[in-house]
């Protein structure tokens, strides 16, 4: 990340001195890019939460929010959800992609594609998994990286050679956040949280295991969902499911 800032700073300085020939640099974009990177490296938890909130608001504006049967089902499933220090709020996106995400401000979004595929218990476990990423601060780090990525995109736009690429927006940040990849260790920890969370709200201890089996099957096929791709990145996706099966057996229910 330090290299990116050096490039941003150097580009800004050299363009101002006219030392980069045949390149039409946009000073405003360069300043924005360098400023964003500087800001990203020092973001407080409160600022990250605010950035998460703004990004989710943008995503909400870009998606059709379900208010019918899907919303009723989700409200029923989540009415007893409580996580200390996190004010959870839920919405359903009318989107056939098998996906769900939780943001650092407590916003949790579920796609109709996932709800069509999963049973009630499995949905609860997946939501627990996504909330686990927030509790473990994985999502905060992902948002910070997304903000840094938008600074890098500003640099590309500043060169003037790719006119279609505009300054970084909330849309860019939201896209980078949704496409964030977590480490194997982070996914294992979120899987564990998903199983424990499901049990804590009265669901089967096998909820996470069953959800993982379905997602693993998707990743082995021709699937385009973010969750399925996340599994495809790890060769031991079936092992993840088996870990949760063993965890479920300890609960004995």
């Amino acid at each position: 990340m330090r290299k990116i800032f050096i490039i941003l700073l150097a580009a800004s300085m050299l363009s101002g001195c006219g030392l980069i020939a045949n390149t039409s640099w946009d000073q405003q974009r360069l300043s924005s890019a360098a400023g964003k990177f500087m800001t990203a490296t020092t973001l407080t938890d409160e600022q990250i939460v605010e950035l998460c909130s703004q990004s989710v608001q943008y995503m909400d504006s870009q998606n059709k929010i379900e208010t019918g049967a899907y919303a009723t089902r989700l409200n029923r499933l989540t009415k007893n959800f409580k996580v200390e220090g996190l004010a959870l709020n839920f919405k359903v996106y009318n989107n056939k992609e098998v996906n769900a995400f939780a943001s650092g401000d407590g916003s949790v979004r579920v796609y109709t594609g996932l709800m069509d595929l999963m049973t009630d218990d499995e949905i609860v476990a997946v939501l627990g998994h996504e909330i686990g990423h927030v509790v473990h601060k994985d999502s905060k780090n992902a948002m910070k990286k997304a903000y840094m990525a938008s600074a890098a995109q500003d640099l590309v736009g500043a060169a003037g050679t790719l006119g279609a690429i505009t300054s970084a927006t909330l849309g860019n940040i939201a896209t980078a956040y949704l496409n964030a990849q977590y480490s194997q260790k982070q996914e294992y920890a979120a899987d564990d949280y998903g199983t424990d969370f499901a049990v804590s709200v009265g669901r089967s201890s096998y909820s996470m295991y069953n959800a993982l089996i379905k997602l693993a099957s998707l990743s082995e096929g021709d699937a385009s969902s973010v969750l399925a791709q996340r599994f495809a990145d790890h060769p031991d996706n079936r092992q993840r499911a088996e870990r949760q099966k063993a965890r479920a057996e300890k609960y004995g229910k």
Side-chain angles (χ1 to χ4, degrees):
M1 290 301 179
R2 184 170 178 272
K3 290 181 179 179
I4 295 177
F5 177 62
I6 291 173
I7 292 171
L8 291 170
L9 185 60
S12 181
M13 292 173 63
L14 292 175
S15 64
C17 296
L19 296 179
I20 300 181
N22 301 319
T23 303
S24 175
W25 290 92
D26 184 328
Q27 285 290 331
Q28 186 174 0
R29 288 183 181 179
L30 281 172
S31 297
S32 172
K36 280 182 179 177
F37 189 86
M38 283 287 287
T39 300
T41 60
T42 59
L43 282 174
T44 65
D45 285 353
E46 291 76 14
Q47 288 172 324
I48 292 176
V49 168
E50 176 59 27
L51 187 57
C52 288
S53 179
Q54 291 184 30
S55 296
V56 171
Q57 288 177 34
Y58 172 84
M59 285 185 273
D60 285 352
S61 72
Q62 299 300 304
N63 286 276
K64 180 180 178 181
I65 307 296
E66 283 288 332
T67 58
Y70 285 104
T72 299
R73 183 186 180 195
L74 184 63
N75 290 336
R76 173 175 57 80
L77 294 177
T78 61
K79 63 181 179 180
N80 295 322
F81 280 19
K82 291 182 180 179
V83 177
E84 185 176 353
L86 201 61
L88 298 173
N89 66 90
F90 301 87
K91 290 183 181 179
V92 182
Y93 288 168
N94 187 332
N95 189 316
K96 293 186 179 298
E97 184 176 295
V98 178
N99 199 14
F101 69 88
S103 187
D105 68 332
S107 297
V108 184
R109 301 295 181 261
V110 191
Y111 292 42
T112 54
L114 181 114
M115 296 188 73
D116 288 339
L117 177 69
M118 302 284 182
T119 66
D120 286 357
D121 281 7
E122 292 161 2
I123 291 172
V124 169
V126 170
L127 295 183
H129 172 104
E130 297 303 323
I131 292 170
H133 281 306
V134 176
V135 171
H136 300 150
K137 301 187 184 303
D138 302 337
S139 60
K140 283 187 177 180
N141 292 329
M143 179 55 73
K144 183 177 287 189
K145 290 179 180 179
Y147 196 71
M148 288 179 174
S150 75
Q153 187 159 350
D154 267 3
L155 175 62
V156 175
T161 56
L162 295 174
I165 298 179
T166 62
S167 298
T169 63
L170 282 175
N172 296 330
I173 295 172
T175 298
Y177 180 73
L178 285 177
N179 292 329
Q181 295 296 312
Y182 297 115
S183 70
Q184 183 183 85
K185 181 179 179 180
Q186 289 171 325
E187 293 290 12
Y188 278 166
D191 289 346
D192 291 347
Y193 192 94
T195 292
D196 296 343
F197 186 84
V199 172
S200 75
V201 294
R203 298 290 171 175
S204 168
S205 61
Y206 289 88
S207 301
M208 191 76 246
Y209 164 73
N210 292 329
L212 293 176
I213 287 294
K214 287 185 178 180
L215 291 174
S217 297
L218 281 179
S219 72
E220 292 164 0
D222 183 20
S224 60
S225 76
V226 174
L227 287 178
Q229 289 175 357
R230 194 181 294 170
F231 274 72
D233 288 339
H234 297 300
D236 61 343
N237 47 21
R238 291 283 176 179
Q239 183 178 334
R240 285 178 61 182
E242 290 304 315
R243 284 185 74 256
Q244 295 315 304
K245 184 177 182 180
R247 195 176 189 86
E249 289 171 347
K250 291 181 181 179
Y251 278 105
K253 57 180 180 179

